[in-house]
Amino acid sequence: MTTAPAAPRRTTDAALGALREIEDRVLWLSTAIVHHANRVRPNPSGLKVGGHQASCASMASLMTALWFRHLRPEDRVSVKPHASPVLHAVNHLLGELDASYLPTLRAFGGLQSYPSRTKDPDPVDYSTGSVGIGATATIWGALARRYAAGATGGRFAGRQYALVGDAELDEGAVWEAVLDPQVAGLGELVWIVDLNRQSLDRVVPDMAAGRLRGMFAAAGWQVLTLKYGTLLEDLFARPGGHALRDRIDDMPNPEYQRLLRCPADELRTRLPGSGPGAPSIARLLTGTDDATLMEAVRNLGGHDLAALDAALSDVDDQRPTVILAYTVKGYRLPTQGHPQNHSSLLTEQQMRELADAVGADADNPWAGLAAGSAAARLCAETAARLRRDSVPVTAPPAIPADIGRTPTGVATTQAALGRALLDLTRAAPEAARRVVTVSPDVSSSTNLGGWVNKVGVWSPAERVDWFADDAETILHWRERPTGRHIELGIAETNLVGLLGELGATWSRWGEPLLPIGVMYDPFVQRALEPWSFGIYAGGRSILVGTPSGVTLAPEGGAHQSVTTPSLGIEQPGCTTWEPAFALDTEWTLLAALARLGRPDGGSAYLRLSTRPVDQTLAAVPTDPAARERRRRQVVAGAYPLRREEGARVTLAAMGAMVTEALGAADRLRNLGVPADVVCVTSPGLLYRALDARAGQGEAPDWILGQAFPAERATPLVTVLDGHPHTLAFLAAIHRVPSRRLGVTRFGQSGSLDEVYRHHGIDTDSIVAAALDLTQ
């Protein structure tokens, strides 16, 4: 791993002076950014703007030490959400953000509430905002970088830093990620925990740093603890200091935080306590002046630049590192240590007092550091050291629109996924080499077995397959650096976290990958929030939910998904397809792959089924032009599957329910009620087309005229294996009467016929609904 030269191991006194001046300016700028947004900028609506001055203050020292001493251009940093003004302050001092943006926090087109790779005007390595996701993103970023380097022959180096709020460690997803077996080998990971022991509303009474140390250590991490600064350590070395250390170590968090609100004379009363060491502590404090005492009680390791520098110099690159840095929330602000300071704002007078204390100008808040000063020179030197070369972006490989196969016999859309991936290795090997699949220990049960056998499993180092010579082993688990399938444990949030970072390699490293994540559809909702955040951050990926719906009849309600079909309507940056036939699966998968690894692309969700379907029902045209027309319709969202002379009703069905719709159309014909059948493949694309036709948004709307032509407008029955609201909007295309069939209750175990009948989506129910609309 090639890296830039590290900073000197220890900071000289002269360098510390410049660092402290920069720390002062970072504190001032971050505080002023929030102040201006709330108290200076006009706010006609009166709506709260918000911001987090206290959370920023606890991070100013940490970020000053990291950026201006240790960071290298190849490193990447995830900044805790509420410290975004600190990041903008640092970027401004480095010349990466013009002063005109500093008054625009949370303004339209201005600085975002939380760091955003895609929306902020200055460099942001990781989008953060949803608690816990920013921290774990560095894990998946490290894995994605390693995979991309091996798959494309690139050379990517550098650490992955995460600046984590201690409250983020309450998120279970953090520990799911930390405990993944692959993480212990990621020596480039460095997490710095802002251990301020406060939440939004209170001081956390049982923030047990010892427990955190044990948990990280048990996962194979190096744990460095920065509890006390040099001033406190100096007091501990004096007579009575041992008792003082024991007293503070044993003190509950709320009691310590209360000391931060005390004047010196009250500190001398409270701090000794009533234990056996109280007399010696009192004598020690008697020999300590008020100013030193007031400073010492706040002198925690996370605010001591020398201690921070030493800790960052001690990082072990052979395993992940976590630095538990004790801090004071609101450090050096009038609100420091107050249990309700999370969203508190300084007054105008308090801002002026802060300006005087740190050498800033309250009337000219964005003024630069004094020209020629040691701090200004350090900023210029750091900016030059951290300057990154622009990353040339490799164009994603060409994806064929149609591989050319026409499936016959009986097949499932789930099996068609694996078949299409294997066909891609022959039809477009360059594209297939960029495909990486990810699954949470369900490769075989989601029909990826053939693909895994073909391409192997990715591992940083080759491992022996001890079952390679076992004749009864069907799935061959060959782990090697050239493998193209990544298997995680049963943790869906880990999967989509990695999926998002694999989908961002095109913008991070200039190397596009084509990531596909596969999980059981009932668990998509569990993973949706972090996957959505990955899309927001610029990750382009495909999520496949399979098996799905109540069609998974014997599994019962716990494994039957209901609400996922409408994802494509509701999720920005995502197109959903639910194909009915194997060829529809191939076409939509190829269309989804073609949108990955590019700035103008997007993500996709495919909902697949284990239901065996007679592929002749697809009636794929044999004429090449007609076949291409069908393919375009499938990808655009819908196609006419059957047209009847004098049709009196239209049956619009999606996915597994097309078989029932065709059966219902046969029976309706016998009853003298001819029915058209339309196969819907993407409700989201149809919804956007309908909006565009009304002048809301931009999307092609030609598909509406081909799938639902005005001259064939009839009463409409919609049916899907999911919530009926997903297709309810189709009646608005021509404002026709409609009946909406779908699943609105928890499922039941049983045969397919029994379960369909239970939910009213069987053939009988479709026929009855059509007759209700036409007779």
Side-chain angles (χ1 to χ4, degrees):
M1 184 179 295
T2 303
T3 59
R9 268 190 66 80
R10 295 294 184 265
T11 315
T12 64
D13 290 342
L16 274 176
L19 275 177
R20 290 191 181 106
E21 188 174 347
I22 292 173
E23 177 190 22
D24 285 348
R25 191 52 57 98
V26 168
L27 175 64
W28 166 257
L29 287 173
S30 58
T31 307
I33 287 170
V34 179
H35 175 77
H36 195 283
N38 287 272
R39 299 203 187 275
V40 180
R41 192 170 67 221
N43 183 9
S45 70
L47 189 68
K48 174 188 172 184
V49 176
H52 303 88
Q53 289 176 331
S55 294
C56 289
S58 72
M59 290 292 295
S61 310
L62 296 172
M63 294 177 67
T64 298
L66 178 58
W67 258 264
F68 292 91
R69 280 286 296 163
H70 291 269
L71 206 61
R72 300 164 300 178
E74 63 267 28
D75 298 333
R76 297 295 182 267
V77 187
S78 172
V79 177
K80 80 170 190 176
H82 293 166
S84 64
V86 185
L87 177 60
H88 298 311
V90 169
N91 280 337
H92 171 64
L93 291 175
L94 295 177
E96 298 282 3
L97 181 68
D98 189 78
S100 61
Y101 280 103
L102 299 180
T104 67
L105 179 70
R106 302 189 176 203
F108 187 81
L111 301 176
Q112 298 301 296
S113 305
Y114 311 116
S116 172
R117 290 188 71 222
T118 56
K119 294 181 180 293
D120 271 317
D122 53 332
V124 175
D125 291 334
Y126 284 97
S127 295
T128 60
S130 185
V131 173
I133 288 180
T136 58
T138 57
I139 292 177
W140 313 125
L143 275 178
R145 189 195 64 179
R146 290 191 178 206
Y147 180 90
T152 65
R155 291 180 60 82
F156 310 132
R159 289 177 178 168
Q160 300 277 337
Y161 289 95
L163 307 179
V164 186
D166 52 11
E168 293 190 80
L169 299 182
D170 291 343
E171 288 287 341
V174 168
W175 298 105
E176 285 183 351
V178 167
L179 293 174
D180 189 275
Q182 299 185 78
V183 175
L186 299 176
E188 61 266 47
L189 281 179
V190 181
W191 285 15
I192 306 173
V193 179
D194 173 19
L195 204 67
N196 61 48
R197 291 145 291 137
Q198 283 189 238
S199 63
L200 190 148
D201 295 319
R202 62 173 182 156
V203 177
V204 179
D206 298 312
M207 178 64 73
R211 184 172 66 242
L212 294 177
R213 284 194 294 270
M215 292 168 71
F216 276 107
W221 291 51
Q222 176 192 25
V223 183
L224 302 176
T225 302
L226 279 179
K227 189 168 187 179
Y228 301 120
T230 53
L231 184 55
L232 263 177
E233 292 287 359
D234 179 63
L235 283 180
F236 295 155
R238 300 179 188 179
H242 183 74
L244 178 61
R245 181 191 288 271
D246 289 344
R247 164 75 171 127
I248 297 176
D249 280 345
D250 295 339
M251 190 180 293
N253 289 333
E255 183 181 2
Y256 182 82
Q257 297 286 104
R258 182 63 184 88
L259 295 179
L260 303 176
R261 312 288 302 166
C262 297
D265 56 345
E266 191 175 346
L267 261 180
R268 297 180 188 279
T269 301
R270 286 177 177 261
L271 187 51
S274 57
S280 59
I281 296 173
R283 286 193 297 272
L284 172 61
L285 300 186
T286 300
T288 306
D289 63 81
D290 286 355
T292 302
L293 178 59
M294 293 290 287
E295 185 180 353
V297 79
R298 294 160 176 77
N299 182 227
L300 299 181
H303 300 301
D304 191 295
L305 293 173
L308 284 164
D309 183 59
L312 287 166
S313 297
D314 288 338
V315 170
D316 178 3
D317 281 326
Q318 302 307 307
R319 55 180 172 154
T321 295
V322 60
I323 300 174
L324 301 176
Y326 282 72
T327 61
V328 174
K329 193 167 184 176
Y331 180 64
R332 299 177 67 190
L333 302 183
T335 57
Q336 62 185 331
H338 193 282
Q340 281 88 52
N341 66 6
H342 184 77
S343 298
S344 63
L345 297 169
L346 271 61
T347 65
E348 183 67 33
Q349 180 58 35
Q350 288 172 330
M351 286 295 295
R352 291 189 173 276
E353 292 169 358
L354 178 63
D356 291 341
V358 299
D361 184 349
D363 296 317
N364 186 14
W366 321 124
L369 294 164
S373 67
R377 288 197 303 271
L378 180 54
C379 285
E381 292 166 2
T382 303
R385 172 169 54 84
L386 295 181
R387 189 165 294 119
R388 296 173 181 170
D389 296 331
S390 59
V391 178
V393 178
T394 301
I399 306 293
D402 186 351
I403 292 176
R405 292 179 68 253
T406 302
T408 57
V410 175
T412 72
T413 56
Q414 176 179 287
L417 170 69
R419 178 77 260 172
L421 289 174
L422 288 172
D423 286 343
L424 190 66
T425 63
R426 292 183 285 271
E430 287 301 314
R433 272 193 283 272
R434 297 269 175 171
V435 172
V436 52
T437 55
V438 187
S439 69
D441 197 32
V442 292
S443 302
S444 56
S445 58
T446 54
N447 281 98
L448 285 180
W451 165 259
V452 172
N453 284 343
K454 173 78 173 178
V455 302
V457 178
W458 180 80
S459 175
E462 189 156 356
R463 295 175 179 171
V464 175
D465 180 7
W466 295 104
F467 289 87
D469 59 349
D470 187 335
E472 296 183 7
T473 298
I474 298 174
L475 182 63
H476 300 292
W477 209 252
R478 293 189 294 268
E479 298 179 84
R480 54 200 178 194
T482 57
R484 280 180 265 158
H485 175 75
I486 301 177
E487 189 92 349
L488 300 172
I490 300 294
E492 285 78 11
T493 54
N494 286 355
L495 181 144
V496 295
L498 176 56
L499 203 61
E501 289 304 319
L502 289 167
T505 57
W506 67 273
S507 58
R508 287 199 194 283
W509 317 111
E511 292 290 354
L513 297 175
L514 309 178
I516 303 171
V518 181
M519 67 174 65
Y520 290 170
D521 196 67
F523 308 133
V524 165
Q525 284 186 305
R526 179 187 300 174
L528 184 57
E529 190 256 347
W531 187 55
S532 173
F533 204 83
I535 295 173
Y536 168 79
R540 315 276 192 248
S541 62
I542 298 171
L543 182 61
V544 178
T546 184
S548 62
V550 300
T551 297
L552 194 62
E555 291 283 351
H559 280 67
Q560 295 172 354
S561 52
V562 175
T563 62
T564 50
S566 61
L567 251 178
I569 297 175
E570 299 150 1
Q571 174 60 52
C574 171
T575 300
T576 290
W577 283 286
E578 185 168 345
F581 300 103
L583 189 54
D584 296 356
T585 305
E586 176 194 298
W587 285 339
T588 54
L589 175 66
L590 295 174
L593 286 170
R595 302 177 71 236
L596 303 182
R598 55 196 323 130
D600 59 343
S603 295
Y605 164 63
L606 270 62
R607 188 175 191 249
L608 306 183
S609 171
T610 52
R611 183 182 185 184
V613 173
D614 179 1
Q615 298 301 301
T616 63
L617 296 176
V620 179
T622 56
D623 179 81
R627 178 187 174 101
E628 172 59 14
R629 184 172 186 266
R630 164 70 70 85
R631 186 199 67 80
R632 291 180 68 246
Q633 291 172 337
V634 167
V635 171
Y639 59 93
L641 189 55
R642 181 181 295 181
R643 297 295 197 203
E644 291 279 2
E645 184 70 29
R648 293 175 55 195
V649 67
T650 299
L651 310 179
M654 190 163 77
M657 303 314 304
V658 167
T659 300
E660 273 60 40
L662 289 170
D666 291 340
R667 288 172 54 182
L668 287 167
R669 183 195 303 119
N670 295 333
L671 293 171
V673 183
D676 284 348
V677 178
V678 177
C679 180
V680 175
T681 56
S682 177
L685 290 177
L686 297 182
Y687 188 87
R688 292 174 212 170
L690 186 59
D691 262 2
R693 177 177 285 184
Q696 298 175 261
E698 296 182 3
D701 63 359
W702 59 267
I703 188 61
L704 299 178
Q706 292 191 12
F708 300 95
E711 65 273 16
R712 301 191 71 85
T714 61
L716 179 69
V717 178
T718 62
V719 58
L720 73 154
D721 183 357
H723 199 283
H725 81 85
T726 305
L727 299 181
F729 71 92
L730 293 178
I733 297 174
H734 299 302
R735 299 182 181 180
V736 295
S738 68
R739 288 288 300 274
R740 299 156 301 282
L741 306 182
V743 180
T744 59
R745 294 171 286 171
F746 286 114
Q748 298 286 338
S749 295
S751 69
L752 202 61
D753 289 342
E754 291 170 328
V755 171
Y756 279 2
R757 190 177 308 113
H758 172 75
H759 290 285
I761 55 175
D762 58 321
T763 302
D764 285 351
S765 297
I766 298 172
V767 170
L771 293 177
D772 286 345
L773 289 171
T774 57
Q775 295 182 359

